[in-house]
Amino acid sequence: MDALDVLVVGGGNAALCAAIAARRSGASVMVVEGAPKFYRGGNTRHTRNMRCAHDTATQHLTGPYTEDEFLDDLLRVTEGNTDEQLARHMISLSKPMLDWIGEQGVRFQPSLGGTLSLGRTNSFFLGGGRAMLNALYLTAEKLGVQIQYDASVVALDVEDGRFKSATIRTVEGDKVVEAQSLVAAAGGFEANIEWLKEGWGDIADNFLIRGTPYNRGDVLKMLMAADVETIGDPTQCHAVAIDARAPKFDGGIITRLDCVVFGIVVNRNAERFYDEGQDFWPKRYAIWGRLVAQQPDQISWIIFDAKSLKMFMPSLYPPIAAQNVADLADKLGLPVEALEKTVRDFNAAVRPGTFDHTILDDCHTEGLNPPKTHWARRLETPPFYAYPVRPGITFTYLGTRVDREARMRMKGGLGAENMFAAGEIMAGNVLGKGYAAGIGMTIGSVFGKLAGEGAARHARG
Amino acid sequence: MHAADHYKEAERLMTICNSCRYCEGLCAVFPAMELRRSYENRDLDYLANLCHGCGACYVDCQFSPPHEFKVNVPRTLAQLRGVSYRSHAWPGFMRPMFDRNGLAIAVVTALSIAGFILGFALWHDPRVLFLGEGQFYRLMPHNVMAPLFGAAFLFSLLALGMGFRSFWCDIGARSVSAGSGGSLLQASRDAAALRYLDGGGVGCYNEDERPTDNRRLFHHLTFYGFLLCFASTSSGTIYHYAFDWPAPYGLLTLPKLFGIPGGIGLVVGSLGLIHAKLVRDRALMDPTKFGMDTAFLLMMLVTGLTGLLLMVLRETPAMGITLAVHLGAVFALFLTMPYGKFVHGIYRFGALALYAAERRLDRAAVPGAKRPS
Ligand SMILES: Cc1cc2nc3c(=O)[nH]c(=O)nc-3n(C[C@H](O)[C@H](O)[C@H](O)COP(=O)(O)OP(=O)(O)OC[C@H]3O[C@@H](n4cnc5c(N)ncnc54)[C@H](O)[C@@H]3O)c2cc1C
Ligand code: SF4
Ligand code: SF4
């Protein structure tokens, strides 16, 4: 392989933004994507929008979203677990990002039906994440970026913070690729159950992985072994409650369930364990993955009645239905009397109120533990329905520490000479905890472009 | 697979898509789907005919095969379109025409052409076929030609109308007043521009994930070519009867001014569409409809080509045969319009009108709500 400037590892949003930016800066670029062509682009395939600051409403955005407001939102969801300087930097670069990403062929549309709350802040990809990726790949190909599929990096040769070469495994065997600089954009390790077990214990066996099976964190591990500094809680991941019938990997958006606030949630013992009506769903959905993970066998059931059936976005699998609570318990394999008692106690505790799911209404329980503080309505109108749920892992927080140029930082505080990181693999720098819709893509695009430009600059001297 | 399986698969896909909605901005199908939470067969007929088969939602779908959800909307809706063409055919006993449509159309066309050759030969001295005097009506008097074609055409119109009526009632057009002027106007605009064959703005997908706008271009050429040819024939008929001005017509007369560009459009457009079909990603296609689609395109091609040839060969001995082939093809086209690919246009128009009405009212039609009395 003669004189390659930039090697980009990964094939998602972060990798492609880096590759395009590096190529546009004049560097020769190779992208190695571990997945086969159809599965190219990891979790980016499953996304639908990105969050960028903007000063005015646009054709696709209903109003302005200032940098300050963006920062406030970030500080709130992360509870301060962010590198504020770096976050400000990213947010200010998110503004021109909307145009830049459009110039690479990505197209936008107004927010999707059912996601109106994001219409002002988030830009939705026309056709979704795979359409977005297709556009980026097309642009990269046109610019002359070399792209290899089914090509995973299995080893990195790094010496004193200087990348020398990578070993790439393909169907034809292993080969060593040298390059002037490296961009690591290989995602997190959420598909690596063994690694998840290090933080969660054996219960991680019962987790479902919402996205790609190819994000196994191998590159992150290699970088850690090469003394790159890490950031973010190694034991934590973003987890939501998804339909328990979803496939182990790659079930994507359609297995999500938005109906917790309309009913009650019980565990294997048919007992409630948390206030289902604590706050609006978009603000609370991310705690339910963890809550369910703490229940026996890591499974729970959302139970509601006919009144609520049509009040939330439909999802892939139909709810399990029965004419009375006992039959429902039977179908779900739950202890019949216990479920009847839980429903009876709940119904008895519901105080009269005016139901309105668009506000924090006054429908609540009294004398019940745990309480349901809003949207509490008696479960009394047959048929009764249930969705089984399990924790669904979206992404992990542990990543490589980077600076303002997306350059990795080595243990000891020095910057790596020629190694850059972008996307989920370094998201922990800005997103130490929590999540706000669309930030994953912003991190990938902004740091991807920075990494590509930095890598090209280094390579071309 | 049977019709019931196609409906089941379409219902499965629409449930998936309605939980996803990522394709909402690509075309009319997805917003129409979102107005519903469950999908009965008549809803699915509507959605299927609303789909233009641009392929974008397949290329853009994170769940298309080999993903285990195996989401392939373009193919499934194409299969359902085939089912709906058959089930709305009138009179009902003609439905089997759709079973092996390519073959059926080929047989009808061959018989029709043979009929004209034979007819010319029997009617006159066989030599009349090769006279090369440039006199069409020597071969077939206008007073025979016009009623024959007129009758075939009127029958077709009746059959198409009955099929359309059945579709229109089934999809519940009346429940949202889809027949109102506004909806029809919107549908005409969308159909005339093939608004939804553009993959959401970049062009449609045919052989791979690189979009082009070729199919739309070639469809325009075919469709408008067809209209021009129709205008050419009609103006010729008017000249003949209203002004007593018989063919042949000069270059600067309406029949020629319509006919020449129309014929060229038909030839170039249908060739382009045939080519696109041959290189199309098989995953996007309903394999059982290949015959139907190709037969129709070939029919367009033969009609356009022989029409143009007639002008060139008018004064030669080849005129007689060419005329027989041309008239045979056109006659077969008229006869088979209600029983072939041609019907896609009228059902799509109906679906577009319903969509326009649904959008205006922001609610879904009630399938088969009111039968016309
Ligand atoms: C269902 C779902 C919906 C989401 N929706 C949104 C959303 O709407 N908006 C948003 O901002 N975020 C969303 N996210 C989060 C978002 O997907 C990620 O933040 C983002 O895609 C990360 O981009 P990336 O390029 O860093 O990683 P990815 O897109 O995951 O790409 C990583 C790539 O690295 C490759 N790779 C891994 N290991 C190797 C190796 N050893 N060698 C070579 N290649 C390797 C993988 O194959 C993959 O292609 C969603 C996530 C999920 C699961
Ligand atoms: S075709 Fe695929 S991406 Fe598009 S809406 Fe349906 S499931 Fe979603
Ligand atoms: S193939 Fe094109 S027209 Fe048909 S549903 Fe998909 S995007 Fe819409």
Side-chain angles (χ1 to χ4, degrees), chain A residues 127, chain B residues 13 16-17 20-23 30 57 60-63 71 73:
Chain B
L13 295 193
I16 291 181
C17 292
C20 169
R21 305 190 169 184
Y22 285 11
C23 292
F30 295 92
C57 64
D60 291 349
C61 181
Q62 63 273 28
F63 304 123
V71 173
V73 175

Side-chain angles (χ1 to χ4, degrees), chain A residues 8-16 32-36 39-51 122 124-125 133 137 151-154 184-188 190 209-220 222 251-255 393-395 422-427 435-445, chain B residues 22:
Chain A
V8 178
V9 186
N13 170 46
L16 269 287
V32 285
E33 158 64 297
Y39 283 102
R40 71 184 183 188
N43 283 349
T44 302
R45 302 171 66 244
H46 290 288
T47 64
R48 55 186 189 188
N49 60 38
M50 68 195 286
R51 183 182 288 254
N122 288 37
F124 283 73
F125 308 124
L133 274 170
Y137 272 96
S152 23
V153 168
V154 291
E190 58 276 352
I209 314 305
R210 301 176 68 204
T212 182
Y214 295 93
N215 284 1
R216 301 186 38 82
D218 300 336
V219 176
L220 179 57
M222 293 168 214
I253 195 81
I254 61 179
T255 60
I393 310 303
T394 323
F395 57 82
E424 216 168 277
I425 200 171
M426 49 64 66
Y435 187 66
I439 287 194
M441 296 298 278
T442 314
I443 294 174
S445 296
Chain B
Y22 285 11

Side-chain angles (χ1 to χ4, degrees), chain B residues 131-155:
Chain B
L131 278 179
E133 287 181 347
Q135 291 295 325
F136 296 164
Y137 300 131
R138 286 277 307 276
L139 282 167
M140 186 163 189
H142 201 277
N143 293 339
V144 179
M145 198 182 313
L148 185 64
F149 280 80
F153 186 64
L154 286 179
F155 166 74

Side-chain angles (χ1 to χ4, degrees), chain B residues 145-228:
Chain B
M145 198 182 313
L148 185 64
F149 280 80
F153 186 64
L154 286 179
F155 166 74
S156 275
L157 276 190
L158 175 69
L160 286 170
M162 294 303 283
F164 183 79
R165 191 170 96 135
S166 153
F167 177 71
W168 189 248
C169 296
D170 256 17
I171 62 175
R174 281 153 194 253
S175 69
V176 288
S177 326
S180 76
S183 304
L184 296 181
L185 187 68
Q186 183 64 45
S188 308
R189 281 208 204 105
D190 294 344
L194 290 176
R195 173 163 168 201
Y196 298 113
L197 191 60
D198 73 346
V202 282
C204 81
Y205 294 81
N206 198 43
E207 53 262 46
D208 56 22
E209 76 276 5
R210 276 162 257 264
T212 73
D213 220 0
N214 288 349
R215 274 173 75 222
R216 186 153 66 154
L217 173 71
F218 289 127
H219 190 289
H220 278 328
L221 287 173
T222 312
F223 176 65
Y224 290 105
F226 179 81
L227 285 190
L228 285 172

Side-chain angles (χ1 to χ4, degrees), chain A residues 197-349:
Chain A
K197 280 186 184 174
E198 289 175 22
W200 291 83
D202 284 344
I203 65 168
D205 273 331
N206 285 331
F207 292 178
L208 302 171
I209 314 305
R210 301 176 68 204
T212 182
Y214 295 93
N215 284 1
R216 301 186 38 82
D218 300 336
V219 176
L220 179 57
K221 239 184 196 142
M222 293 168 214
L223 292 169
M224 286 162 66
D227 283 338
V228 172
E229 191 183 325
T230 59
I231 190 166
D233 189 336
T235 66
Q236 293 304 315
C237 52
H238 182 266
V240 302
I242 62 170
D243 200 308
R245 297 164 289 184
K248 184 76 182 171
F249 293 100
D250 223 41
I253 195 81
I254 61 179
T255 60
R256 73 165 169 332
L257 290 166
D258 298 336
C259 53
V260 167
V261 296
F262 295 104
I264 61 172
V265 182
V266 300
N267 61 18
R268 184 155 292 302
N269 308 325
E271 291 160 347
R272 290 176 60 246
F273 49 88
Y274 197 82
D275 178 357
E276 300 89 352
Q278 192 178 38
D279 205 340
F280 290 115
W281 184 239
K283 293 195 178 165
R284 278 294 167 272
Y285 76 97
I287 65 172
W288 281 90
R290 181 168 310 273
L291 288 170
V292 174
Q294 288 156 355
Q295 303 310 310
D297 297 339
Q298 294 68 55
I299 188 161
S300 301
W301 288 264
I302 309 170
I303 296 178
F304 55 96
D305 70 4
K307 291 194 292 292
S308 308
L309 183 65
K310 294 188 176 171
M311 306 199 77
F312 48 89
M313 275 273 288
S315 68
L316 174 60
Y317 304 100
I320 297 154
Q323 282 307 317
N324 57 57
V325 174
D327 286 354
L328 188 65
D330 225 33
K331 281 190 175 171
L332 303 177
L334 293 178
V336 174
E337 276 159 34
L339 187 64
E340 283 183 322
K341 177 173 184 325
T342 299
V343 172
R344 208 179 319 119
D345 292 351
F346 173 77
N347 285 348

